[in-house]
Structure formats: C-alpha cells, structure tokens
Amino acid sequence: MPRARKGDHQFGGEWTAQKLDVLAKYLVAYSTALRDKPTPENPFQKAFIDGFAGTGSRVDSSTELDDESGQESLFSGEPAGESVESLRDGSARIALRTNPPFDKYIFIEQSQQRCNQLEDLKGEYPDLAERVSILQGNANDEIKRLCKRNWSAHRAVMFLDPYGMQVEWATIEAIAATRAIDLWLLYPLGIGVNRLLTRTGVIPPGWQRRLTLLLGNEEWREEGYSVEKVTNLFGEDDEQLTKTTMEVLGSRFNQRLATIFPGVAEPAGILRNSRGTLLYLLCFAAANERGAPTALKIANSLLRRLR
C-alpha cells in the first residue's frame, strides 16, 4: 500500500471506508442494471458525477474527525489536519474501476492542485481517458450549470461528499429537477447542523446564513428548537428553550428531500467515528420516477448496516 505524500487528500477514518464501500457497491449495481442501455428505444447514456472529487485518493489516518474538530472545514472546504498513514482509493478511482464502466465521468474540484492530480488519473485509466471531464470550480455553481442541460437522454449517479456545509439546498433542488440523477449525499448533521444550532439559541449571523443556504429556508429556526413552559420555584411559568435532538433533525432533512425527489431511502445511513459520535448522515435520493423503486431497493439494502 503506497505511503501518503505531501498534498495528498487527507480525510476520514473507518466511517470514510463505510461510505465508499456503499458507493462502490451501488455503482456496480447501477452500471450492471443499465448494462444493455442505450438502446434505439431508450438511447440514454450513463454518467458518474463527483462534486467534491479531491485527488482520486484518500489518506487513511490514525486521527479521526469528530464533532469538536474541523471547525474551519465547515465553511472553507478544507479538511481538518490529520495523521497520515497510507493511501487508498477515493471516490474518483472507485468510479473509474467500476465494471461495466460509465459512459462519462465528471469530476468537480475547486483546488487547482487537486485538479492536476485528477488529470493524472487519465494516464492510469487510458481506456477511459476520453470519457473523463475535470471541472475546476465551486461545486454548487458547476452542478447547477450541469443540471440546466437537457437530461432526457442521460442518467447519472452523483456523489456529494463535502468537507462540511458547502452544499446548498438550491443545488439539491437543481439535481432533483433533472429527473435523471441518483444522488448520494453526506449530510453534515453532527459536525455541522447540530453544532451551529447552539444550546442557547443565540446563533451568529454567519452561521444563520449557512444554515439557511443548506436547508433552503429559515424553517430551521422552528425545527431546531421547541419552547416549553416550566414552573419555577415560585410557582410561576417560565419559558424554556429546548434543542431538537439529532435524530429528529436527521429525519426532517430526509422528509425535506422527499418533497422534491420521487424516491428517498428511509432512514438514512449513519456515519460515526470510533467513539460513536454521529458525524454525517449518508442520504440517498432518486430523481428518476421510473427508476426510483429499483434504485431504492438497492440503496436500502446497502444502508441497512449503517442504520
């Protein structure tokens, strides 16, 4: 197993292996199910889209992200510092080695250095090189641009694995509107939403804006808290602010997905660190109404062990 080098993509722990294992198995099942397409009657092509492609590799590390670390990563798009051990395949390489192969691979990455490393993948997979497109830019902008295209002759699997809270609800809506994309999304429930919803209810303006971008509106203000009346020592009623549990917050996000996608895996998978701390939900949503039942059957079977 190769050692990590300076500049390699450092992120994750056992939960990273879990999410990538689910992705790898889904891609094989998806590609196999569509093996005989396109046909004259149904001439669409299938693509894999990675919104946060990184370098194509990931670094196994002895230090995992938890709910008290990686504060900068929530907004900056950079992973927290970790101990480096060895390189393993990331989502881009997993997609490129999927058999049967996809007709198109679209890797989106904001860092020029990482884009250069993604370009090197073409040399490693020369038979697929012409199918690979690498887009440097903000994931939300690039995905919205892609989703505006005519998707009637295309289908795709999209993997959104942000470092924190970079994905915007408007981007998720654009994906659903294609009626053609199966979405795997890491929802930053533990490392993001739960932390920004402070116990006191006093939330800095920047955090409020980020929550609104992620969730699409300001309903999180009511969903994130409840107000109860409690009797104090003097027999008077006081109002007490109670923060909503992560279980309820996660369920509500899945319900929100179901308002725009015809098929959503329920419940989502749970990704925890070695101490049992909830980091992310691994959510699945199918935008194609006709293919949703089959897609959900596969996704639910893969997510079962993460619930």
Side-chain angles (χ1 to χ4, degrees), residues 16 24-25 34 43 63 76 80 86 103 107 112 134 147 150 152 159 168 188 197 200 254 264 269:
T16 300
K25 290 176 179 176
L34 300 182
T63 303
S76 68
S86 57
D103 301 302
F107 302 139
Q112 180 61 66
I134 299 170
C147 290
N150 184 351
S152 60
F159 184 52
E168 299 174 2
L197 292 172
T200 64
N254 239 25
V264 174

Side-chain angles (χ1 to χ4, degrees), residues 13 16 30 94 100 169-170 187 225 247 262 288:
T16 300
Y30 179 93
I94 286 172
W169 183 254
Y187 177 59
Y225 302 94
E247 289 76 14
N288 183 266

Side-chain angles (χ1 to χ4, degrees), residues 108-126:
I108 302 170
E109 174 54 51
Q110 191 158 12
S111 163
Q112 180 61 66
Q113 180 182 9
R114 291 177 188 158
C115 284
N116 294 340
Q117 290 175 276
L118 288 170
E119 286 286 349
D120 293 339
L121 290 179
K122 295 180 181 181
E124 296 180 32
Y125 299 87

Side-chain angles (χ1 to χ4, degrees), residues 32-85:
T32 299
L34 300 182
R35 182 196 300 269
D36 298 326
K37 296 180 175 61
T39 65
E41 296 77 21
N42 195 7
F44 65 78
Q45 291 187 319
K46 58 185 183 294
F48 173 77
I49 305 170
D50 195 331
F52 298 85
T55 65
S57 299
R58 65 181 177 89
V59 174
D60 262 2
S61 62
S62 57
T63 303
E64 292 183 325
L65 179 70
D66 61 27
D67 62 342
E68 299 299 330
S69 66
Q71 204 162 28
E72 291 300 319
S73 71
L74 289 178
F75 307 124
S76 68
E78 291 298 330
E82 302 178 32
S83 301
V84 177
E85 290 183 352

Side-chain angles (χ1 to χ4, degrees), residues 229-281:
K229 287 188 176 181
V230 295
T231 303
N232 61 28
L233 293 175
F234 304 101
E236 301 169 335
D237 287 338
D238 290 335
E239 289 188 344
Q240 178 176 292
L241 189 70
T242 302
K243 183 176 173 180
T244 303
T245 65
M246 281 201 285
E247 289 76 14
V248 172
L249 289 173
S251 178
R252 286 176 176 169
F253 181 75
N254 239 25
Q255 292 168 10
R256 188 184 292 263
L257 287 175
T259 65
I260 57 175
F261 286 90
V264 174
E266 179 67 41
I270 299 174
L271 297 174
R272 304 178 185 271
N273 64 14
S274 60
R275 294 180 293 280
T277 302
L278 191 159
L279 303 177
Y280 290 91
L281 295 184

Side-chain angles (χ1 to χ4, degrees), residues 10-228:
Q10 303 174 27
F11 200 61
E14 178 58 29
W15 59 275
T16 300
Q18 291 174 338
K19 74 186 177 188
L20 291 176
D21 181 61
V22 168
L23 176 67
K25 290 176 179 176
Y26 186 81
L27 293 183
V28 171
Y30 179 93
S31 189
T32 299
L34 300 182
R35 182 196 300 269
D36 298 326
K37 296 180 175 61
T39 65
E41 296 77 21
N42 195 7
F44 65 78
Q45 291 187 319
K46 58 185 183 294
F48 173 77
I49 305 170
D50 195 331
F52 298 85
T55 65
S57 299
R58 65 181 177 89
V59 174
D60 262 2
S61 62
S62 57
T63 303
E64 292 183 325
L65 179 70
D66 61 27
D67 62 342
E68 299 299 330
S69 66
Q71 204 162 28
E72 291 300 319
S73 71
L74 289 178
F75 307 124
S76 68
E78 291 298 330
E82 302 178 32
S83 301
V84 177
E85 290 183 352
S86 57
L87 283 175
R88 294 184 183 273
D89 287 347
S91 51
R93 274 197 172 86
I94 286 172
L96 288 167
R97 72 168 190 241
T98 299
N99 189 33
F102 285 80
D103 301 302
K104 186 73 174 176
Y105 303 85
I106 301 173
F107 302 139
I108 302 170
E109 174 54 51
Q110 191 158 12
S111 163
Q112 180 61 66
Q113 180 182 9
R114 291 177 188 158
C115 284
N116 294 340
Q117 290 175 276
L118 288 170
E119 286 286 349
D120 293 339
L121 290 179
K122 295 180 181 181
E124 296 180 32
Y125 299 87
D127 294 342
L128 300 176
E130 293 186 357
R131 305 185 187 189
V132 176
S133 294
I134 299 170
L135 306 179
Q136 182 186 4
N138 177 277
N140 291 290
D141 296 339
E142 297 298 334
I143 290 169
K144 290 174 189 174
R145 192 173 296 116
L146 284 172
C147 290
K148 287 180 180 179
R149 297 181 181 180
N150 184 351
W151 280 86
S152 60
H154 297 81
R155 292 279 299 280
V157 177
M158 183 177 294
F159 184 52
L160 294 185
D161 181 7
Y163 306 109
M165 297 179 64
Q166 289 77 34
V167 177
E168 299 174 2
W169 183 254
T171 301
I172 298 174
E173 287 182 316
I175 295 166
T178 66
R179 297 292 180 255
I181 296 175
D182 287 358
L183 172 65
W184 284 99
L185 167 69
L186 263 76
Y187 177 59
L189 177 60
I191 71 156
V193 175
N194 186 59
R195 289 174 54 202
L196 269 58
L197 292 172
T198 63
R199 288 186 177 88
T200 64
V202 178
I203 303 174
W207 291 13
Q208 293 182 38
R209 178 177 179 275
R210 179 53 57 179
L211 285 165
T212 299
L213 284 172
L214 175 66
L215 298 172
N217 55 44
E218 294 190 358
E219 291 180 6
W220 56 265
R221 298 182 187 276
E222 289 74 38
E223 294 177 352
Y225 302 94
S226 61
V227 179
E228 301 176 0

